[in-house]
Amino acid sequence: MSRWKAIAFDLDDTLYPEKAFVLSGFQAVANWAEQHLNIPSQQGYAGLIQLFDQGVRGDTFNRWLAIHHLPHEDFTARLVAVYRDHIPTLDPFADAVNLLETLHGRYRLGIVSDGYLVVQRNKLAALQLGHYFDAVVFSDEWGREAWKPSVRPFVAVLEGLGVAADEAIYIGDNPAKDFLGARQVGMTTIWVKRPQGEYSSNCPPTDHHMPHFTIGSLSEVLTIIEET
C-alpha cells in the first residue's frame, strides 16, 4: 500500500502554461485600448507580446503606454484592472489532465496557488479542473504576506485534505518559493521543470529551497508515487 494519501499542486506553469494567461490578458487589454485609446487591437497586442518576449516584467503597461506617448499616470491602473479581471481562455497541459484523471479517487488532491485572488479563481474556473480537487487554497485569501514560501497555505491545504504532512506530496514549478514552505511543514516536494517554463532555468537559492525530486513532465509523477 502506498504511503501517500494526498497530492497537492501549484497552478501556474504546473497545471497549465502561465504564458497562456498572460497572452489572454494582453488581448483583453488590447481590446480595451482599441475602444478607449484608439490603438488598433492587433497593433497593441503585438506590442505587448514584444515587450514580454524581451523579458519585460512588472512595468509592461508603463512601457507600452510610453511607446504610444500616453501618460502612465492616467491609464496604467486601468490596464492592470482589465488584465487581472478579465475572464481568460485557458487549456490545461495534457499531462496534467491525464495525471489528475489517474489520481482522482485514489488520493486526496489539492491546490496551493499564489496570485491575486480574483485572478486565480478565474484561472481555475477557465481550466475547468475544479472537480478534481478536494481542497483549493489561494494564499491571497490572507493577503500578500501569506504567499509562498509562507507555510500558511501549506498548513491550510493539509488541513483541508485531512492528511499529515508526511503523507502528502507538493508539486510546483518555481524553486524560489514552491518548496521551502512545503518542506518546512514536512511535505515531500517535486519540481516539474518544463523546458518552456518561466522558472525552468532558475536555481533554488539555498539548499532549503531544493525539491526532493525533479521531473520534466507530470507523466513522471506516478513513478515517484509508486517507488517511494
Side-chain angles (χ1 to χ4, degrees), residues 46 57 62 73 81 132 150 156 162-163 168 175 180 201 203 209:
R57 303 289 188 273
N62 284 4
E73 298 88 350
Y132 288 112
S150 168
V163 299
L180 177 62
S201 62
C203 295
H209 291 76

Side-chain angles (χ1 to χ4, degrees), residues 129-150:
L129 297 176
H131 61 285
Y132 288 112
F133 296 100
D134 303 289
V136 175
V137 174
F138 294 131
S139 57
D140 199 47
E141 292 181 16
W142 302 288
R144 187 65 179 262
E145 67 278 3
W147 289 21
K148 296 175 286 185
S150 168

Side-chain angles (χ1 to χ4, degrees), residues 22-23 25-31 33 41-57 59-65 67-68 79 83:
V22 173
L23 298 184
F26 284 171
Q27 187 64 69
V29 167
N31 292 344
S41 176
Q42 185 174 0
Q43 176 188 343
Y45 180 67
L48 289 165
I49 291 176
Q50 184 176 22
L51 288 169
F52 184 83
D53 288 343
Q54 291 171 353
V56 176
R57 303 289 188 273
D59 62 346
T60 302
F61 297 137
N62 284 4
R63 295 197 187 192
W64 184 80
L65 288 166
I67 291 169
H68 294 283
L79 297 184
Y83 179 87

Side-chain angles (χ1 to χ4, degrees), residues 40-111:
S41 176
Q42 185 174 0
Q43 176 188 343
Y45 180 67
L48 289 165
I49 291 176
Q50 184 176 22
L51 288 169
F52 184 83
D53 288 343
Q54 291 171 353
V56 176
R57 303 289 188 273
D59 62 346
T60 302
F61 297 137
N62 284 4
R63 295 197 187 192
W64 184 80
L65 288 166
I67 291 169
H68 294 283
H69 308 290
L70 293 168
H72 67 84
E73 298 88 350
D74 293 344
F75 299 110
T76 296
R78 181 56 181 156
L79 297 184
V80 170
V82 170
Y83 179 87
R84 289 179 180 169
D85 295 343
H86 88 285
I87 304 302
T89 300
L90 303 174
D91 292 308
F93 287 119
D95 61 358
V97 176
N98 292 338
L99 180 63
L100 292 172
E101 286 280 359
T102 301
L103 298 178
H104 185 57
R106 296 170 57 188
Y107 301 90
R108 303 279 288 172
L109 301 180
I111 285 178

